Amino acid sequence: MQSVNLTRHFLIAMPAMADPHFAKTLTFICEHNEQGALGVVVNRPLNLADLTLHALLEQIEITPRDEACREVPVHYGGPVQTDRGFVLHTPAGAWQSTLKVSDSIGLTTSKDVLQAVARGEGPPRMLVTLGYAGWAPGQLESELAQNAWLTVDADEHILFDTPAEQRYEAGLKLLGIDLSMLSDAAGHA
């Protein structure tokens, strides 16, 4: 199979996606190489009662001084390590544990970014998730061959400025596709 690098791309779940972890999701791929792929679902805020960034910070014993944290939702990032926080942000910054996705975007797992956010000094644009999506070597390529996903270059505006409930369709629009145009059945020519 031909090698493809989907880092900095969106994966758009096809309507027939049966896996409940990924049905109707838009996933941002942070890293894709010969060891597999890592991404975060960006359009699924957690529906847990009162789980905002403010509440999450308090759970990990960080006292939020920035009241804006009360309004920031926490998202479901994927089925792997759902007890661990991931902060997708811009600018990439210089945090203790950051995967530099691009010159402008980082994915940070260290507590220092959350401490800065609590002080009102964190990244100005961010998305906080619990968990991530991971694929073993060749697994994502196999899923692409089975028509499970559409792919498109990611757009920072969709990641950080578009409301979560509009991100899936916004990702489709990058491809010029209207959701009503997609079939639930996959076909092969």
Side-chain angles (χ1 to χ4, degrees), residues 25-67:
T25 59
L26 182 69
T27 302
F28 178 67
I29 299 298
C30 300
E31 185 174 51
H32 186 207
N33 55 37
E34 63 280 347
Q35 279 117 39
L38 177 145
V40 290
V41 174
V42 298
N43 69 319
R44 198 175 277 177
L46 289 170
N47 291 327
L48 303 173
D50 301 319
L51 186 56
T52 63
L53 179 55
H54 189 275
L56 180 66
L57 291 171
E58 287 181 333
Q59 285 179 13
I60 58 173
E61 299 179 358
I62 296 175
T63 304
R65 287 182 251 156
D66 185 355
E67 286 302 308

Side-chain angles (χ1 to χ4, degrees), residues 2 47 109:
Q2 186 177 7
N47 291 327
T109 57

